[in-house]
Amino acid sequence: MFLENFDPLKDSMIQIMDKDGKIVNPDAMPELSDEEIIKLYETMRFSRIIDEKTLQYQRQGRMLTYAPNLGQEATQVGSIAATKQTDWAAPSFRELGVWLYKGAPLRSIFLYWFGNEMGMHMPEDVRVLPISVPIASQMQHATGLAYASRYKGLDDIAIAYVGDGGTSQGDFHEALNFSAVQSLPNVFIVQNNQFAISTRRKIQTKAGTIAQKAIAYGIPGIQVDGNDIFAMYAVTKEAVDRARRGDGPTLIEAYTYRMGAHTTSDDPTVYRDNSEVDEWRDKDPIDRLRKYMMEKGIWDEEKEEAFTEEKGKFVKATFEDVEKSGLTPLEDTFDYVFAERTPILEAQYQAKKAFYAKEGK
Ligand SMILES: Cc1ncc(C[n+]2csc(CCOP(=O)(O)OP(=O)(O)O)c2C)c(N)n1
Protein backbone atom coordinates (compact mmCIF):
# COMPACT_ATOMS: atom_id res chain seq x y z
CA MET A 1 0.00 0.00 0.00
CA PHE A 2 2.72 2.51 0.99
CA LEU A 3 6.00 1.17 -0.32
CA GLU A 4 5.04 0.77 -3.94
CA ASN A 5 3.83 4.32 -4.37
CA PHE A 6 6.09 6.30 -2.07
CA ASP A 7 8.57 8.56 -3.82
CA PRO A 8 11.15 9.69 -1.25
CA LEU A 9 12.03 12.71 -3.40
CA LYS A 10 8.47 14.01 -3.60
CA ASP A 11 6.21 12.48 -0.98
CA SER A 12 5.89 13.57 2.60
CA MET A 13 5.96 11.61 5.81
CA ILE A 14 3.36 8.86 6.32
CA GLN A 15 0.95 9.47 9.16
CA ILE A 16 -2.15 7.53 10.23
CA MET A 17 -2.85 9.03 13.66
CA ASP A 18 -2.24 12.71 14.40
CA LYS A 19 -0.89 14.18 17.61
CA ASP A 20 -4.39 14.34 19.13
CA GLY A 21 -4.98 10.63 18.66
CA LYS A 22 -7.30 11.13 15.67
CA ILE A 23 -7.11 8.71 12.76
CA VAL A 24 -6.36 10.90 9.75
CA ASN A 25 -5.79 8.10 7.23
CA PRO A 26 -8.48 5.49 8.00
CA ASP A 27 -7.85 3.43 4.85
CA ALA A 28 -4.35 2.72 6.05
CA MET A 29 -5.27 1.83 9.63
CA PRO A 30 -3.68 -1.56 10.38
CA GLU A 31 -5.88 -4.41 11.53
CA LEU A 32 -5.08 -4.67 15.22
CA SER A 33 -7.33 -6.09 17.91
CA ASP A 34 -8.00 -4.10 21.09
CA GLU A 35 -5.72 -6.52 22.95
CA GLU A 36 -2.92 -5.89 20.49
CA ILE A 37 -3.33 -2.13 20.76
CA ILE A 38 -3.27 -2.38 24.56
CA LYS A 39 -0.08 -4.44 24.35
CA LEU A 40 1.55 -1.75 22.18
CA TYR A 41 0.52 0.91 24.66
CA GLU A 42 1.59 -1.03 27.73
CA THR A 43 5.00 -1.77 26.23
CA MET A 44 5.55 1.91 25.49
CA ARG A 45 4.39 2.95 28.96
CA PHE A 46 6.56 0.31 30.59
CA SER A 47 9.54 1.58 28.61
CA ARG A 48 8.83 5.15 29.78
CA ILE A 49 8.49 4.08 33.42
CA ILE A 50 11.82 2.25 33.24
CA ASP A 51 13.44 5.27 31.61
CA GLU A 52 12.20 7.67 34.26
CA LYS A 53 13.17 5.50 37.18
CA THR A 54 16.58 4.64 35.72
CA LEU A 55 17.37 8.33 35.30
CA GLN A 56 16.55 8.85 38.97
CA TYR A 57 18.80 5.95 40.01
CA GLN A 58 21.60 7.37 37.87
CA ARG A 59 21.21 10.82 39.43
CA GLN A 60 21.30 9.19 42.85
CA GLY A 61 24.69 7.71 41.95
CA ARG A 62 23.30 4.18 41.91
CA MET A 63 23.57 3.53 38.17
CA LEU A 64 26.30 3.93 35.55
CA THR A 65 25.78 5.78 32.25
CA TYR A 66 22.36 5.20 30.71
CA ALA A 67 20.94 6.11 27.28
CA PRO A 68 17.29 7.13 27.64
CA ASN A 69 14.83 6.67 24.77
CA LEU A 70 12.22 9.18 25.90
CA GLY A 71 10.08 10.08 22.88
CA GLN A 72 11.20 7.22 20.66
CA GLU A 73 8.89 4.55 22.08
CA ALA A 74 6.49 4.34 19.12
CA THR A 75 9.32 4.10 16.61
CA GLN A 76 10.62 1.07 18.45
CA VAL A 77 7.50 -0.71 19.64
CA GLY A 78 5.50 -0.06 16.45
CA SER A 79 8.21 -1.51 14.23
CA ILE A 80 9.14 -4.56 16.28
CA ALA A 81 5.47 -5.47 16.76
CA ALA A 82 5.25 -5.96 12.99
CA THR A 83 7.77 -8.83 13.14
CA LYS A 84 7.26 -12.38 14.40
CA GLN A 85 8.82 -14.04 17.42
CA THR A 86 11.52 -15.89 15.46
CA ASP A 87 12.62 -12.83 13.49
CA TRP A 88 15.90 -11.30 14.59
CA ALA A 89 16.41 -7.78 15.88
CA ALA A 90 19.77 -6.01 15.75
CA PRO A 91 19.64 -2.96 18.03
CA SER A 92 22.14 -0.17 18.52
CA PHE A 93 21.99 0.79 22.21
CA ARG A 94 18.81 2.84 22.66
CA GLU A 95 16.16 0.25 21.80
CA LEU A 96 14.51 -0.38 25.16
CA GLY A 97 11.09 -0.72 23.50
CA VAL A 98 12.44 -3.41 21.18
CA TRP A 99 13.91 -5.45 24.03
CA LEU A 100 10.75 -5.23 26.05
CA TYR A 101 8.46 -6.22 23.19
CA LYS A 102 10.75 -9.13 22.31
CA GLY A 103 10.54 -10.33 25.91
CA ALA A 104 14.00 -9.44 27.20
CA PRO A 105 14.00 -9.68 31.01
CA LEU A 106 14.30 -6.29 32.69
CA ARG A 107 16.88 -7.80 35.01
CA SER A 108 19.13 -8.47 32.00
CA ILE A 109 18.71 -4.95 30.68
CA PHE A 110 19.61 -3.47 34.06
CA LEU A 111 22.58 -5.81 34.39
CA TYR A 112 23.97 -4.52 31.11
CA TRP A 113 23.63 -0.86 32.10
CA PHE A 114 25.17 -1.82 35.41
CA GLY A 115 28.32 -2.82 33.53
CA ASN A 116 27.70 -6.55 33.45
CA GLU A 117 27.97 -7.94 29.91
CA MET A 118 26.04 -11.05 30.96
CA GLY A 119 23.00 -8.84 30.78
CA MET A 120 23.13 -9.14 27.02
CA HIS A 121 22.95 -12.91 27.16
CA MET A 122 19.31 -13.27 26.18
CA PRO A 123 17.12 -16.32 26.64
CA GLU A 124 17.12 -18.58 23.52
CA ASP A 125 13.71 -17.45 22.32
CA VAL A 126 14.49 -13.72 22.63
CA ARG A 127 16.11 -13.09 19.31
CA VAL A 128 17.77 -9.75 19.98
CA LEU A 129 21.49 -9.29 19.42
CA PRO A 130 23.63 -7.78 22.17
CA ILE A 131 24.06 -4.00 22.23
CA SER A 132 26.54 -2.95 19.57
CA VAL A 133 28.30 0.22 20.66
CA PRO A 134 30.39 0.88 17.51
CA ILE A 135 27.86 2.96 15.61
CA ALA A 136 26.11 1.17 12.71
CA SER A 137 28.04 -2.09 13.16
CA GLN A 138 24.77 -3.85 13.95
CA MET A 139 23.65 -3.14 10.38
CA GLN A 140 26.25 -5.62 9.18
CA HIS A 141 25.18 -8.16 11.75
CA ALA A 142 21.61 -7.91 10.52
CA THR A 143 22.64 -8.54 6.92
CA GLY A 144 24.60 -11.58 8.10
CA LEU A 145 21.55 -12.88 9.94
CA ALA A 146 19.34 -12.34 6.91
CA TYR A 147 21.86 -14.09 4.69
CA ALA A 148 22.02 -17.03 7.08
CA SER A 149 18.25 -17.25 7.28
CA ARG A 150 17.93 -17.49 3.53
CA TYR A 151 20.87 -19.92 3.27
CA LYS A 152 19.15 -22.21 5.75
CA GLY A 153 15.85 -21.95 3.90
CA LEU A 154 14.11 -20.25 6.86
CA ASP A 155 11.59 -17.47 6.53
CA ASP A 156 12.92 -15.38 9.43
CA ILE A 157 13.83 -11.80 8.62
CA ALA A 158 16.29 -9.47 10.41
CA ILE A 159 15.32 -5.97 11.45
CA ALA A 160 18.10 -3.52 12.31
CA TYR A 161 17.98 -0.20 14.16
CA VAL A 162 20.36 2.68 13.59
CA GLY A 163 20.38 6.39 14.42
CA ASP A 164 20.43 9.29 11.94
CA GLY A 165 24.11 9.80 12.75
CA GLY A 166 24.74 6.13 12.05
CA THR A 167 23.68 6.62 8.42
CA SER A 168 26.93 8.53 7.88
CA GLN A 169 29.03 5.52 8.89
CA GLY A 170 30.59 3.23 6.29
CA ASP A 171 28.90 0.22 7.88
CA PHE A 172 25.50 1.66 7.00
CA HIS A 173 26.45 1.87 3.33
CA GLU A 174 28.01 -1.57 3.22
CA ALA A 175 25.05 -3.21 4.88
CA LEU A 176 22.48 -1.58 2.61
CA ASN A 177 24.49 -2.24 -0.49
CA PHE A 178 25.10 -5.90 0.32
CA SER A 179 21.54 -6.52 1.43
CA ALA A 180 20.11 -4.83 -1.67
CA VAL A 181 22.40 -6.63 -4.13
CA GLN A 182 21.64 -9.97 -2.48
CA SER A 183 17.95 -9.13 -2.04
CA LEU A 184 18.15 -10.17 1.61
CA PRO A 185 15.24 -10.37 4.05
CA ASN A 186 16.14 -7.17 5.95
CA VAL A 187 14.27 -4.17 7.29
CA PHE A 188 16.41 -1.19 8.27
CA ILE A 189 14.87 1.28 10.69
CA VAL A 190 16.60 4.63 11.03
CA GLN A 191 15.53 6.31 14.22
CA ASN A 192 15.95 9.87 13.07
CA ASN A 193 15.80 11.51 16.48
CA GLN A 194 17.37 14.68 15.00
CA PHE A 195 20.67 14.37 16.83
CA ALA A 196 23.92 12.44 16.90
CA ILE A 197 24.87 13.55 20.40
CA SER A 198 25.07 17.34 19.80
CA THR A 199 25.28 17.19 15.99
CA ARG A 200 22.03 18.04 14.29
CA ARG A 201 20.80 15.79 11.56
CA LYS A 202 20.92 18.65 9.03
CA ILE A 203 24.63 19.21 9.44
CA GLN A 204 25.74 15.62 9.33
CA THR A 205 24.23 14.70 5.95
CA LYS A 206 23.41 16.77 2.87
CA ALA A 207 20.58 14.42 1.89
CA GLY A 208 17.15 16.08 2.02
CA THR A 209 15.77 13.12 3.95
CA ILE A 210 17.29 9.87 5.12
CA ALA A 211 14.65 7.90 3.23
CA GLN A 212 16.14 9.31 0.02
CA LYS A 213 19.34 7.42 0.63
CA ALA A 214 17.48 4.24 -0.38
CA ILE A 215 17.32 5.41 -3.99
CA ALA A 216 21.05 4.93 -4.44
CA TYR A 217 20.78 1.32 -3.27
CA GLY A 218 17.85 0.55 -5.55
CA ILE A 219 15.51 -0.31 -2.68
CA PRO A 220 12.33 1.30 -1.32
CA GLY A 221 12.84 4.13 1.15
CA ILE A 222 10.05 5.74 3.10
CA GLN A 223 9.67 8.42 5.75
CA VAL A 224 7.22 7.72 8.55
CA ASP A 225 5.98 9.74 11.51
CA GLY A 226 7.98 7.88 14.14
CA ASN A 227 5.71 9.17 16.92
CA ASP A 228 2.68 7.55 15.32
CA ILE A 229 2.64 3.93 16.37
CA PHE A 230 0.02 2.91 13.80
CA ALA A 231 2.05 4.35 10.92
CA MET A 232 5.20 2.70 12.22
CA TYR A 233 3.42 -0.64 12.51
CA ALA A 234 1.68 -0.47 9.13
CA VAL A 235 4.75 0.53 7.12
CA THR A 236 7.07 -1.88 8.89
CA LYS A 237 4.57 -4.72 8.39
CA GLU A 238 4.62 -4.07 4.67
CA ALA A 239 8.42 -4.04 4.63
CA VAL A 240 8.57 -7.22 6.75
CA ASP A 241 6.13 -9.05 4.44
CA ARG A 242 8.12 -7.89 1.46
CA ALA A 243 11.37 -9.15 2.98
CA ARG A 244 9.79 -12.49 3.90
CA ARG A 245 8.47 -12.92 0.36
CA GLY A 246 12.04 -12.62 -0.94
CA ASP A 247 11.68 -9.14 -2.44
CA GLY A 248 14.60 -7.65 -0.52
CA PRO A 249 15.27 -4.93 2.04
CA THR A 250 13.54 -1.64 2.84
CA LEU A 251 14.84 1.53 4.45
CA ILE A 252 12.40 3.17 6.86
CA GLU A 253 13.17 6.60 8.23
CA ALA A 254 11.26 7.06 11.47
CA TYR A 255 11.01 10.79 12.00
CA THR A 256 11.08 11.36 15.73
CA TYR A 257 12.82 13.33 18.45
CA ARG A 258 15.04 12.43 21.37
CA MET A 259 13.35 14.36 24.17
CA GLY A 260 15.93 13.38 26.76
CA ALA A 261 19.71 13.61 26.81
CA HIS A 262 21.92 11.52 24.52
CA THR A 263 23.06 9.69 27.63
CA THR A 264 23.22 10.63 31.28
CA SER A 265 26.70 12.07 30.53
CA ASP A 266 25.23 14.63 28.15
CA ASP A 267 23.67 18.05 28.80
CA PRO A 268 21.38 18.87 25.86
CA THR A 269 20.64 22.40 27.10
CA VAL A 270 24.09 23.33 25.75
CA TYR A 271 23.06 22.68 22.13
CA ARG A 272 19.27 23.07 21.92
CA ASP A 273 16.51 25.26 23.15
CA ASN A 274 13.94 23.96 25.62
CA SER A 275 11.15 25.43 23.47
CA GLU A 276 12.06 22.91 20.77
CA VAL A 277 11.68 20.06 23.25
CA ASP A 278 8.31 21.49 24.32
CA GLU A 279 7.11 21.46 20.72
CA TRP A 280 7.91 17.77 20.50
CA ARG A 281 6.37 17.04 23.87
CA ASP A 282 3.12 18.04 22.22
CA LYS A 283 3.63 15.18 19.74
CA ASP A 284 4.40 12.61 22.43
CA PRO A 285 3.85 9.11 21.04
CA ILE A 286 2.44 7.69 24.27
CA ASP A 287 -0.02 10.52 24.98
CA ARG A 288 -1.21 10.20 21.41
CA LEU A 289 -2.07 6.52 21.65
CA ARG A 290 -3.60 7.01 25.11
CA LYS A 291 -5.96 9.65 23.71
CA TYR A 292 -6.97 7.27 20.93
CA MET A 293 -7.59 4.41 23.38
CA MET A 294 -9.55 6.56 25.80
CA GLU A 295 -11.73 7.82 22.97
CA LYS A 296 -12.29 4.20 21.92
CA GLY A 297 -13.15 3.23 25.48
CA ILE A 298 -10.42 0.61 25.90
CA TRP A 299 -8.34 2.53 28.45
CA ASP A 300 -9.11 4.84 31.35
CA GLU A 301 -7.46 6.75 34.21
CA GLU A 302 -7.96 3.86 36.60
CA LYS A 303 -6.14 1.41 34.35
CA GLU A 304 -3.40 3.96 33.81
CA GLU A 305 -2.88 4.42 37.53
CA ALA A 306 -2.93 0.71 38.31
CA PHE A 307 -0.50 -0.07 35.50
CA THR A 308 1.89 2.70 36.52
CA GLU A 309 1.89 1.58 40.13
CA GLU A 310 2.37 -2.10 39.38
CA LYS A 311 5.19 -1.54 36.87
CA GLY A 312 6.85 1.06 39.08
CA LYS A 313 7.06 -1.47 41.91
CA PHE A 314 8.40 -4.11 39.56
CA VAL A 315 11.11 -1.79 38.22
CA LYS A 316 12.14 -0.81 41.74
CA ALA A 317 12.36 -4.42 42.94
CA THR A 318 14.26 -5.54 39.84
CA PHE A 319 16.71 -2.67 40.09
CA GLU A 320 17.36 -3.23 43.78
CA ASP A 321 18.04 -6.88 43.08
CA VAL A 322 20.56 -6.03 40.35
CA GLU A 323 22.10 -3.35 42.53
CA LYS A 324 22.85 -6.01 45.15
CA SER A 325 24.84 -7.99 42.58
CA GLY A 326 27.48 -5.23 42.68
CA LEU A 327 29.76 -3.96 39.96
CA THR A 328 31.65 -6.48 37.85
CA PRO A 329 35.36 -6.91 38.67
CA LEU A 330 37.75 -4.70 36.72
CA GLU A 331 39.40 -7.80 35.23
CA ASP A 332 36.22 -8.63 33.31
CA THR A 333 36.78 -5.63 31.08
CA PHE A 334 40.14 -6.96 29.94
CA ASP A 335 39.89 -10.73 30.06
CA TYR A 336 37.40 -11.57 27.32
CA VAL A 337 38.92 -9.82 24.35
CA PHE A 338 41.76 -12.26 23.65
CA ALA A 339 42.64 -15.64 25.19
CA GLU A 340 45.48 -13.84 26.98
CA ARG A 341 45.88 -10.13 27.60
CA THR A 342 48.00 -8.46 24.92
CA PRO A 343 50.78 -6.11 26.16
CA ILE A 344 48.61 -3.07 25.34
CA LEU A 345 45.63 -4.50 27.24
CA GLU A 346 47.87 -5.38 30.16
CA ALA A 347 49.23 -1.82 30.25
CA GLN A 348 45.70 -0.42 30.15
CA TYR A 349 44.63 -2.78 32.93
CA GLN A 350 47.56 -1.74 35.14
CA ALA A 351 46.86 1.95 34.47
CA LYS A 352 43.18 1.55 35.37
CA LYS A 353 44.01 -0.45 38.48
CA ALA A 354 46.45 2.24 39.63
CA PHE A 355 43.80 4.92 38.92
CA TYR A 356 41.21 3.12 41.04
CA ALA A 357 43.76 2.58 43.83
CA LYS A 358 44.47 6.32 43.86
CA GLU A 359 40.75 7.09 43.96
CA GLY A 360 40.36 4.62 46.80
CA LYS A 361 37.97 2.37 44.85
C1 LIG B 1 32.18 4.05 15.37
C2 LIG B 1 31.78 4.94 16.50
N1 LIG B 1 32.08 6.26 16.47
C3 LIG B 1 31.72 7.07 17.48
C4 LIG B 1 31.05 6.58 18.56
C5 LIG B 1 30.64 7.50 19.70
N2 LIG B 1 29.18 7.72 19.64
C6 LIG B 1 28.35 7.09 20.48
S1 LIG B 1 26.75 7.49 20.19
C7 LIG B 1 27.16 8.53 18.94
C8 LIG B 1 26.10 9.29 18.20
C9 LIG B 1 25.16 8.39 17.49
O1 LIG B 1 24.13 9.13 16.92
P1 LIG B 1 22.95 8.46 16.17
O2 LIG B 1 23.47 7.41 15.24
O3 LIG B 1 22.14 9.53 15.57
O4 LIG B 1 22.13 7.67 17.29
P2 LIG B 1 21.46 8.22 18.63
O5 LIG B 1 22.53 8.25 19.68
O6 LIG B 1 20.91 9.57 18.33
O7 LIG B 1 20.41 7.23 18.98
C10 LIG B 1 28.55 8.57 18.76
C11 LIG B 1 29.22 9.41 17.75
C12 LIG B 1 30.75 5.19 18.58
N3 LIG B 1 30.09 4.63 19.59
N4 LIG B 1 31.12 4.41 17.54
Short mmCIF file of all heavy atoms in Angstrom, two decimals, residues 94 195-200 258 262 266 271:
data_model
loop_
_atom_site.label_atom_id
_atom_site.label_comp_id
_atom_site.label_asym_id
_atom_site.label_seq_id
_atom_site.Cartn_x
_atom_site.Cartn_y
_atom_site.Cartn_z
N ARG A 94 19.88 2.03 22.07
CA ARG A 94 18.81 2.84 22.66
C ARG A 94 17.45 2.18 22.49
O ARG A 94 16.42 2.83 22.59
CB ARG A 94 18.81 4.22 21.96
CG ARG A 94 18.19 5.34 22.76
CD ARG A 94 18.10 6.59 21.91
NE ARG A 94 19.35 7.22 21.63
CZ ARG A 94 20.08 7.90 22.51
NH1 ARG A 94 19.64 8.06 23.73
NH2 ARG A 94 21.23 8.45 22.17
N PHE A 195 19.34 14.08 16.29
CA PHE A 195 20.67 14.37 16.83
C PHE A 195 21.59 13.15 16.85
O PHE A 195 21.14 12.04 17.12
CB PHE A 195 20.58 14.87 18.29
CG PHE A 195 19.90 16.20 18.43
CD1 PHE A 195 18.55 16.27 18.73
CD2 PHE A 195 20.61 17.37 18.23
CE1 PHE A 195 17.91 17.50 18.84
CE2 PHE A 195 19.99 18.60 18.34
CZ PHE A 195 18.63 18.67 18.65
N ALA A 196 22.87 13.42 16.60
CA ALA A 196 23.92 12.44 16.90
C ALA A 196 24.73 13.13 18.00
O ALA A 196 25.54 14.01 17.73
CB ALA A 196 24.78 12.16 15.68
N ILE A 197 24.44 12.80 19.21
CA ILE A 197 24.87 13.55 20.40
C ILE A 197 24.47 15.02 20.18
O ILE A 197 23.28 15.30 20.11
CB ILE A 197 26.37 13.36 20.73
CG1 ILE A 197 26.74 11.85 20.69
CG2 ILE A 197 26.66 13.92 22.14
CD1 ILE A 197 28.17 11.53 21.09
N SER A 198 25.44 15.93 19.96
CA SER A 198 25.07 17.34 19.80
C SER A 198 24.98 17.76 18.34
O SER A 198 24.66 18.91 18.04
CB SER A 198 26.10 18.22 20.52
OG SER A 198 27.39 17.89 20.04
N THR A 199 25.29 16.83 17.42
CA THR A 199 25.28 17.19 15.99
C THR A 199 23.90 17.01 15.40
O THR A 199 23.35 15.91 15.40
CB THR A 199 26.29 16.30 15.22
OG1 THR A 199 27.57 16.43 15.84
CG2 THR A 199 26.39 16.72 13.76
N ARG A 200 23.36 18.12 14.88
CA ARG A 200 22.03 18.04 14.29
C ARG A 200 22.04 17.26 12.99
O ARG A 200 23.00 17.31 12.24
CB ARG A 200 21.51 19.46 14.01
CG ARG A 200 20.94 20.10 15.23
CD ARG A 200 20.30 21.43 14.93
NE ARG A 200 19.95 22.06 16.19
CZ ARG A 200 18.76 21.90 16.78
NH1 ARG A 200 17.84 21.18 16.21
NH2 ARG A 200 18.52 22.47 17.94
N ARG A 258 14.52 12.91 20.08
CA ARG A 258 15.04 12.43 21.37
C ARG A 258 14.76 13.52 22.40
O ARG A 258 15.44 14.54 22.43
CB ARG A 258 16.55 12.18 21.23
CG ARG A 258 17.17 11.43 22.37
CD ARG A 258 18.68 11.59 22.34
NE ARG A 258 19.07 12.89 22.81
CZ ARG A 258 20.07 13.62 22.33
NH1 ARG A 258 20.79 13.19 21.33
NH2 ARG A 258 20.35 14.80 22.83
N HIS A 262 21.33 12.63 25.29
CA HIS A 262 21.92 11.52 24.52
C HIS A 262 22.20 10.34 25.46
O HIS A 262 21.79 9.21 25.21
CB HIS A 262 23.21 12.00 23.85
CG HIS A 262 24.00 10.89 23.25
ND1 HIS A 262 23.59 10.23 22.11
CD2 HIS A 262 25.16 10.29 23.63
CE1 HIS A 262 24.47 9.28 21.82
NE2 HIS A 262 25.43 9.29 22.74
N ASP A 266 25.42 13.53 29.09
CA ASP A 266 25.23 14.63 28.15
C ASP A 266 24.31 15.70 28.75
O ASP A 266 23.42 15.39 29.54
CB ASP A 266 24.57 14.02 26.88
CG ASP A 266 24.08 15.05 25.90
OD1 ASP A 266 24.84 15.98 25.59
OD2 ASP A 266 22.92 14.91 25.44
N TYR A 271 23.15 22.61 23.59
CA TYR A 271 23.06 22.68 22.13
C TYR A 271 21.63 22.77 21.58
O TYR A 271 21.43 22.72 20.38
CB TYR A 271 23.82 21.50 21.48
CG TYR A 271 23.38 20.12 21.94
CD1 TYR A 271 22.26 19.49 21.41
CD2 TYR A 271 24.09 19.45 22.94
CE1 TYR A 271 21.87 18.24 21.82
CE2 TYR A 271 23.71 18.19 23.37
CZ TYR A 271 22.60 17.58 22.81
OH TYR A 271 22.21 16.34 23.23
#
